[in-house]
Amino acid sequence: MTGYVLRRVLLGVAQVLLVMAAVFFLTEALPGDAAVTIAGDNPDPAIIELLREQLGLDEPAWQRLGGWLLGALHGDFGHSLVGPRAVVDIIGSAMGPTLLLAGLTLALLVPLSVVLGMLGAHREGGRIDRLITSGTLGLYSAPEFAMGVLVVTVFAVQLGWFPPTAVGSAGLLANPAVLVLPVFVLLLRPICSLSRLVRAGMIDAQRAEYVRHVRRLGLAPARVRFAHALPNAIAPAVQQLARTTDWLIGGVIVIEAIFVVPGLGTTLVEAVSARDLPVVQGLAVVLAGTTVLVNLAADIAARALAPASEVGR
Amino acid sequence: MHESGPARGLSRRGFLGLTAAGSVAVLAGCAGRAGVAAVGPPRPGGRLRAAFSGGGAAEVLDPHETDLYIEIARAKALYEKLADYGSDMSPQPRLAERWEASQDLLAWRITLRQAAFHDGRPVRAGDVLASYARIVEPSSSRRAKASLSMIDLPGSRAIDDRTVEFRLKRPYAEFPNALATLGAYIIPEGTTDFGRPVGSGPFRFVSFAPGRNFVAARNPDYWEGTPHLDELEIVVTNDEAARVNALLGGQVEYAHDLAPTSARTHENTGRVRVHRLPLSNFHGLVMKTDRPPFDRPELRQAMFHLVNRDELVRSVLQGSGQLCNDVYGKGYRYYADALPQRTQDLDRARALIKQAGAEGLTIDLDTSGTSTGLKEAALAISDQARQAGLNLNVRLGNKDTYWSDIAKNGVMASYRSGAMPLESHISQRLLTTSTTNNTKWQRPEFDALYQEAQSTADDARREQLYFQMQDQLYREGGFLWWGVSDWIVASAPNVGGIDDRAPANTVDWARYDKVWLA
């Protein structure tokens, strides 16, 4: 296990470095640079040249990437090109709202999916199972932005039950009501995929030889379900949960725009648009690092849950 | 990200230059009030929350770096300029109480108003000189630099605490335009840090979170009188639909920059009050006059005659705007009203295309989604051109780099401009030395007309010269301005004091010291 973890960590570091290089050169490949976007609709060539010089954009790309990487190794992620703030500061202030949204979503997602999946698996093909299946399939096919707009229109603008956006100074935690709709929309799709996985896993596990065996030993049905079937059943779901986390990052960008949450998604879109390379790079590290870590944790957890099934090799 | 053009300002004396526009604005104002009861009388108190689209996590409160509408709104709450633009784009005195020019228009004496910064220090001549010096310093890429660079700062001086004498590098009859230019704010001498900004404006700084929100409190010592509002909060909301939702949901009381469709949907529900600020955003085409095919004046004239402006105002501006006549600055001071309004004349356009030898020619028309209406206008104009036998191939460019791309490349592109005086439009875009001369209009005789207009103290003569310049552009220029749209702002029904006739970026636009919550 230790060897496996070490291998995976090294691989993760390599993956993050690769992502950073890819992101850097992809952003470089976009037309224009920060000097051009700062000049905006007043593209005086002399001003653009001056800005390029001041921002060090006249140095070759590999040199700028190298310089940035060297800084990053010392924990210095540099400064934004379009403003005076440090990258760490920008990402730090954007991290809170996104973590809150993603964290709340995940915290609700796991129990809800397990409950729904077990309910469905309890009587395969029964009325509850059919209801859950048709419901989850239907919701899964609705994209976030459509759901977001719909939910705001109905529950916020028409009915006035919840605030339509999260604008304002109070911060998200000061006014929990603003979190209801965004988290609700973020939950919808992953709940569908996860609960279906849990259901399938449970159905397979209940048919498995070892479960039948403990049943024959006369253990209580509930005990059989929770202590013996469930751990094996949720191993694939845990790995799917990790993929969900990656996906959450994408979903969060859309949700942040609709609900006006100043998080990582908004910051990323703006930084790419402004060709603010240091900020884009910093975000790439955060997002790639998160993805690598979450997947690693999921694979380790899956191995621990179901050592026999040889997952994550 | 860059939503604002080098757009500038208007005032309550908006009737001066507004011919047809005035009545249109009044009508629009009435329409906006159809679904909402009248606002109660002014009363002090409350916090107004205003939603704008913003500049992201890199935003700063340095007023000399203002570029976007939200930055201007924040800057004008905290700071002031010596002058700002009235409704006909003529400069109105602000921190300057008055100005007088020497006979040769090379020296200008500015008398400052008795005003104080938020820390109690008086606004002095030294602050003015230091502010301008900071804007034009060699390492600066600030927007106001171009307008202020004609001041000979080393030769300018403070005569006393309330009198500045500016020496100019050349005669400049409309020098007060430069004082009103975007970003030319007066900051206390020696300011280097804008973490807790100190200005002389109607509101004092309270707090700021870049990309999120800005809070300011009323300045009881403001020279023009204490604002009604206790506090002003400006929140960042990039998505137009989210701004509307926040307004409908009671999270904000003022939403800036709405689409005409949103305005129509909500204006008669009684839930919001819609304000259509006229003459705010000019829409047009640029044709590069220095290269084929538009180096042929006949082909530019063909474009003038084949465009159906009515249809563009109806479809692209969705009725929230009015026709233009190919010349910039409808409704502004010195605008050539006497030029006959052009209408679509396909026969004449076909004849001109033939004269230009451009029959069956395919021409690239560049556009992008960088600003509302650019793309829609390009597609509609391309359809109209087909009726005259000209193929315009619409090319969709990158929205982040569009302005810089079309400055250098291509032959024809969609274009827009915010409000500015005619003088600024000409000096920035139509002189041989202009930095953003997108039509490549470089004509010594035209330059000479501009120089003469700036060298005469005689208003009537200047008016004549402006007419000559515009007449030339009308006949064969590279700009085709087909319309000017309203800037749409919506407010909660209980918000009073919003000026319905102030184009975006003028003195009475986003003027929260005049606003109250009934």
Side-chain angles (χ1 to χ4, degrees):
Chain A
M1 191 79 178
T2 327
Y4 167 76
V5 172
L6 193 68
R7 268 208 316 279
R8 288 289 310 262
V9 168
L10 287 174
L11 182 68
V13 171
Q15 283 170 325
V16 172
L17 281 172
L18 202 68
V19 166
M20 271 161 51
V23 165
F24 182 89
F25 287 110
L26 281 171
T27 314
E28 272 295 298
L30 288 173
D33 57 17
V36 166
T37 63
I38 291 169
D41 59 3
N42 191 22
D44 176 348
I47 295 270
I48 291 178
E49 260 336 287
L50 182 69
L51 281 166
R52 276 206 180 111
E53 217 167 289
Q54 287 174 343
L55 300 172
L57 291 171
D58 46 1
E59 293 170 8
W62 59 268
Q63 206 172 318
R64 278 181 289 131
L65 176 62
W68 191 86
L69 282 175
L70 276 178
L73 285 178
H74 298 108
D76 173 16
F77 289 77
H79 275 77
S80 159
L81 293 178
V82 293
R85 291 174 80 194
V87 172
V88 178
D89 178 28
I90 289 178
I91 293 178
S93 58
M95 189 100 87
T98 301
L99 277 182
L100 185 62
L101 276 182
L104 261 178
T105 306
L106 284 172
L108 292 167
L109 176 64
V110 174
L112 283 172
S113 311
V114 168
V115 168
L116 277 179
M118 286 187 70
L119 271 177
H122 188 56
R123 283 220 172 72
E124 199 188 341
R127 196 179 310 166
I128 292 178
D129 184 28
R130 285 209 306 273
L131 188 73
I132 293 174
T133 300
S134 53
T136 50
L137 277 176
L139 283 175
Y140 192 69
S141 50
E144 287 78 42
F145 67 87
M147 267 330 262
V149 171
L150 187 71
V151 159
V152 169
T153 307
V154 175
F155 295 105
V157 175
Q158 296 293 338
L159 297 171
W161 292 355
F162 300 106
T165 68
V167 298
S169 54
L172 297 175
L173 281 174
N175 187 6
V178 305
L179 290 165
V180 175
L181 295 181
V183 168
F184 174 72
V185 175
L186 275 174
L187 272 173
L188 283 176
R189 286 179 82 186
I191 267 196
C192 299
S193 53
L194 272 184
S195 65
R196 296 191 57 74
L197 271 173
V198 171
R199 173 185 171 273
M202 276 305 280
I203 289 170
D204 285 349
Q206 282 169 354
R207 289 183 190 146
E209 186 51 44
Y210 73 95
V211 173
R212 284 201 209 132
H213 179 70
V214 290
R215 222 177 262 147
R216 282 196 292 271
L217 291 176
L219 287 178
R223 171 111 199 241
V224 172
R225 254 202 303 276
F226 285 96
H228 296 275
L230 187 62
N232 268 295
I234 60 171
V238 168
Q239 285 173 302
Q240 171 65 23
L241 183 67
R243 315 285 175 270
T244 300
T245 312
D246 307 349
W247 169 92
L248 262 181
I249 292 165
V252 155
I253 292 183
V254 175
I255 293 301
E256 283 181 4
I258 292 175
F259 291 97
V260 197
V261 179
L264 291 175
T266 312
T267 309
L268 179 63
V269 171
E270 275 161 355
V272 171
S273 184
R275 308 289 186 270
D276 196 348
L277 259 171
V279 177
V280 176
Q281 290 288 94
L283 285 162
V285 174
V286 171
L287 298 179
T290 309
T291 305
V292 165
L293 279 177
V294 166
N295 280 296
L296 175 59
D299 288 345
I300 291 170
R303 280 167 73 104
L305 281 167
S309 56
E310 306 265 322
V311 285
R313 282 277 149 83
Chain B
M1 224 170 90
H2 290 255
E3 51 170 334
S4 115
R8 329 230 155 151
L10 259 235
S11 104
R12 270 155 312 145
R13 296 198 273 166
F15 269 109
L16 290 172
L18 302 181
T19 48
S23 52
V24 169
V26 172
L27 287 174
C30 296
R33 279 187 276 277
V36 187
V39 187
R43 64 171 196 89
R47 173 191 276 206
L48 179 95
R49 293 164 300 177
F52 281 71
S53 67
E59 291 183 334
V60 283
L61 286 179
D62 179 343
H64 295 161
E65 303 285 354
T66 50
D67 198 16
L68 309 176
Y69 287 115
I70 187 170
E71 290 168 331
I72 302 163
R74 285 190 298 238
K76 73 189 283 183
L78 299 174
Y79 294 94
E80 293 183 285
K81 296 181 285 195
L82 293 183
D84 212 341
Y85 294 114
S87 357
D88 60 347
M89 302 316 283
S90 60
Q92 307 291 325
R94 299 296 298 154
L95 268 180
E97 204 163 49
R98 59 180 185 276
W99 44 70
E100 50 203 322
S102 60
Q103 204 66 49
D104 59 4
L105 302 173
L106 276 166
W108 285 75
R109 183 166 289 199
I110 313 281
T111 308
L112 296 180
R113 199 175 290 284
Q114 267 197 305
F117 289 113
H118 302 151
D119 59 6
R121 283 183 293 171
V123 178
R124 297 169 310 109
D127 300 310
V128 172
L129 290 166
S131 298
Y132 284 13
R134 179 171 186 260
I135 290 168
V136 301
E137 66 191 8
S139 65
S140 144
S141 53
R142 302 181 174 104
R143 203 187 259 266
K145 188 176 183 175
S147 306
L148 298 180
S149 59
M150 57 159 50
I151 302 175
D152 165 22
L153 271 176
S156 305
R157 62 199 177 101
I159 292 178
D160 59 44
D161 268 358
R162 284 186 50 205
T163 318
V164 186
E165 187 177 84
F166 286 113
R167 302 289 311 176
L168 306 186
K169 293 171 185 169
R170 56 183 177 277
Y172 187 14
E174 290 183 80
F175 176 60
N177 282 349
L179 308 179
T181 200
L182 178 60
Y185 292 94
I186 306 305
I187 62 176
E189 190 174 0
T191 308
T192 50
D193 175 50
F194 293 90
R196 294 201 60 82
V198 171
S200 63
F203 292 91
R204 290 175 177 174
F205 175 80
V206 174
S207 71
F208 176 54
R212 297 188 197 193
N213 79 320
F214 161 86
V215 180
R218 91 154 57 108
N219 171 12
D221 308 325
Y222 186 48
W223 61 265
E224 216 178 3
T226 307
H228 301 295
L229 299 169
D230 288 338
E231 278 190 325
L232 164 69
E233 181 180 7
I234 296 178
V235 296
V236 173
T237 311
N238 288 335
D239 185 55
E240 191 261 354
R243 288 197 291 277
V244 175
N245 289 335
L247 180 65
L248 291 169
Q251 296 186 300
V252 300
E253 288 75 33
Y254 181 104
H256 189 250
D257 187 14
L258 266 57
T261 40
S262 306
R264 275 208 307 275
T265 306
H266 300 291
E267 69 189 331
N268 294 322
T269 59
R271 294 176 72 176
V272 302
R273 197 183 295 273
V274 172
H275 310 267
R276 287 189 168 80
L277 314 178
L279 306 175
S280 290
N281 199 7
F282 287 82
H283 299 258
L285 290 177
V286 283
M287 300 176 274
K288 294 210 182 320
T289 58
D290 66 334
R291 61 194 72 172
F294 289 109
D295 54 351
R296 298 289 305 260
E298 299 88 350
L299 192 58
R300 303 199 292 272
Q301 287 154 2
M303 287 302 301
F304 291 148
H305 291 292
L306 70 76
V307 168
N308 182 341
R309 296 168 189 77
D310 286 303
E311 188 189 297
L312 290 168
V313 170
R314 246 198 329 273
S315 63
V316 178
L317 308 185
Q318 306 199 24
S320 285
Q322 36 186 318
L323 294 182
C324 280
N325 199 22
D326 302 335
V327 177
Y328 178 86
K330 182 173 185 167
Y332 299 165
R333 189 178 193 180
Y334 302 123
Y335 174 71
D337 251 333
L339 296 168
Q341 175 65 51
R342 280 198 180 111
T343 53
Q344 189 181 39
D345 183 347
L346 288 172
D347 291 338
R348 196 152 167 208
R350 281 190 203 100
L352 284 159
I353 291 170
K354 200 170 180 159
Q355 272 182 43
E359 285 163 296
L361 197 64
T362 296
I363 302 167
D364 285 327
L365 166 51
D366 289 307
T367 191
S368 83
T370 194
S371 158
T372 320
L374 289 181
K375 200 166 51 189
E376 296 80 358
L379 292 165
I381 289 169
S382 148
D383 284 343
Q384 293 171 2
R386 205 165 300 124
Q387 299 169 2
L390 203 58
N391 298 315
L392 301 183
N393 169 42
V394 176
R395 288 195 304 190
L396 193 62
N398 182 291
K399 70 174 180 51
D400 302 324
T401 58
Y402 180 70
W403 302 115
S404 153
D405 294 342
I406 62 164
K408 293 193 290 274
N409 319 314
V411 294
M412 172 157 70
S414 302
Y415 204 66
R416 68 157 289 269
S417 169
M420 59 174 75
L422 259 64
E423 181 268 317
S424 310
H425 169 68
I426 290 168
S427 65
Q428 290 177 19
R429 299 170 179 156
L430 289 160
L431 302 182
T432 304
T433 52
S434 294
T435 50
T436 49
N437 191 333
N438 281 329
T439 56
K440 306 294 176 198
W441 179 262
Q442 295 172 320
R443 310 203 165 192
E445 79 283 6
F446 185 90
D447 296 359
L449 288 175
Y450 170 83
Q451 299 305 351
E452 192 190 336
Q454 294 312 321
S455 312
T456 176
D458 176 358
D459 253 351
R461 173 66 187 142
R462 191 171 321 113
E463 181 117 31
Q464 261 175 1
L465 290 159
Y466 267 117
F467 186 84
Q468 287 174 30
M469 285 185 262
Q470 292 175 85
D471 186 44
Q472 215 181 101
L473 295 168
Y474 175 74
R475 281 183 288 106
E476 52 163 350
F479 276 117
L480 186 165
W481 298 103
W482 53 260
V484 55
S485 59
D486 306 331
W487 197 256
I488 305 177
V489 166
S491 62
N494 67 329
V495 177
I498 294 175
D499 190 318
D500 277 341
R501 285 198 299 277
N505 285 359
T506 58
V507 68
D508 286 335
W509 159 88
R511 193 168 179 182
Y512 298 111
D513 52 314
K514 297 287 180 213
V515 166
W516 69 88
L517 296 171

